[in-house]
Amino acid sequence: MSSETQLSLFDDSTFNQRDLIPTDAKIPIPANTYSDMPELAQHCNQCHRCGLGNNRTHAVVGRGNLKAPIMVVGEAPGQNEDETGLPFVGKSGQLLEKILASVNLSTETDVYICNINKCRPPENRVPTTEEMAACLPYLLEQIRLVDPKIILLTGATAVKGLTNDKRGITKIRGQWIEWQGRLCMPIFHPSYLLRNPSREVGGPKWLMWQDIQAVRAKYDEIKVSDK
Ligand code: URA
């Protein structure tokens, strides 16, 4: 072997992290791995960092404005999402859209929607701590690429998956949390509202209405101060 060839073995300029298919949670996915969302989506669809990849029809990466100022993070795809490859397209997704529309927010302009886990857990069970940890690098890359000012975390699993805060959602909903320089608000998961539809003052739907108005107000405040 020529010394030229030998030397080239030490040249890692041709090695690209993006070429590494993440088949094991031990393979790191550092920040800046992906240059855009389609590249990240391609890896998610080949991913076996946890067992959830074995049963997926589609990895569910996200939908909405790729430069949205507001990101909504859910738990994991359900059946409709697994079939379509799009997050929040079932009943709870329809309710989420209505909640956003009630304060004039939409996925066309202001919002990007994604999940802690990209693949559907069997029987829609809650993803395990290991499954959430295996998928977290993708979410961190999505946050870097979209660069939202505000992140809404729907339900305790989303809060735990991103921030590791294990408190119950009724305790922390409606409170702003600062996470890595971004404003996050835990809110109820829409599926919880579907199970608890009462609109009485102090009930889940009423509380959600307070929270989404607070989100709208904060968004308007940020928009003004950015001008
Ligand atoms: N529930 C979630 O948390 N995410 C979805 O995408 C759908 C339902």
Side-chain angles (χ1 to χ4, degrees), residues 50 52 74-77 115-135 156-158 160-161:
C50 75
L52 297 182
E75 186 174 303
N115 281 308
I116 296 286
N117 276 91
K118 311 305 183 216
C119 299
R120 182 189 181 197
E123 317 298 330
N124 298 337
R125 65 161 170 75
V126 175
T128 65
T129 305
E130 291 72 28
E131 287 161 352
M132 290 197 279
C135 216
T157 307
K160 182 180 163 213

Side-chain angles (χ1 to χ4, degrees), residues 23 46-57 82 119-120:
T23 51
Q46 293 171 288
C47 181
H48 288 278
R49 289 170 65 81
C50 75
L52 297 182
N54 297 338
N55 299 318
R56 75 173 159 248
T57 313
D82 174 69
C119 299
R120 182 189 181 197

Side-chain angles (χ1 to χ4, degrees), residues 74-78 81 87-88 92 115 154 189:
E75 186 174 303
E81 291 78 16
F88 280 104
S92 54
N115 281 308
T154 66
H189 193 286

